[in-house]
Amino acid sequence: PDIWHYGDDLKYKSNDWGIRQIEAVRDRKDVTGNLFLVVTMFGDHTLHHLFPTVDHSKLKHLYPVFLETCKQFNIDFELYTIPSLALGKYQQLARN
């Protein structure tokens, strides 16, 4: 399970709020880019956590600067499949 949970070691040794948001949520390949799926299946989740008051229909426009900023500060960001996230959920449950 790659998503940070309370008690886990921190991947990045920073107290930056934005980094913590990125560590605590994940986005799905099969949802990102489709507005209907984004608004009905919690798509663009990371950007929503970083910019909670921005309308979901506008979040896609933030990806270029978001990805460039992640690259600039060596922050990993990748999209996951629903099966990989489901597997991670059960791996996390087994850890506890």
Side-chain angles (χ1 to χ4, degrees):
D2 297 329
I3 298 174
W4 182 86
H5 293 83
Y6 182 77
D8 287 351
D9 290 333
L10 299 172
K11 182 175 182 177
Y12 303 101
K13 303 303 178 201
S14 169
N15 287 324
D16 184 84
W17 177 85
I19 291 173
R20 296 290 160 256
Q21 295 300 309
I22 294 168
E23 286 187 313
V25 298
R26 291 295 182 268
D27 282 294
R28 297 176 308 261
K29 291 179 187 182
D30 36 6
V31 174
T32 298
N34 180 320
L35 183 58
F36 177 76
L37 295 178
V38 164
V39 299
T40 59
M41 298 184 66
F42 302 104
D44 297 331
H45 206 167
T46 303
L47 290 177
H48 165 70
H49 275 251
L50 293 171
F51 306 99
T53 61
V54 173
D55 187 275
H56 274 72
S57 68
K58 308 300 181 204
L59 290 174
K60 66 182 177 185
H61 301 294
L62 299 176
Y63 270 109
V65 71
F66 169 69
L67 294 173
E68 182 60 33
T69 302
C70 286
K71 184 178 176 182
Q72 180 181 355
F73 289 93
N74 297 313
I75 304 298
D76 296 327
F77 176 79
E78 61 183 284
L79 299 171
Y80 290 76
T81 63
I82 290 175
S84 68
L85 289 170
L87 176 62
K89 176 180 110 174
Y90 290 107
Q91 290 172 328
Q92 177 64 29
L93 289 171
R95 265 184 19 170
N96 292 333

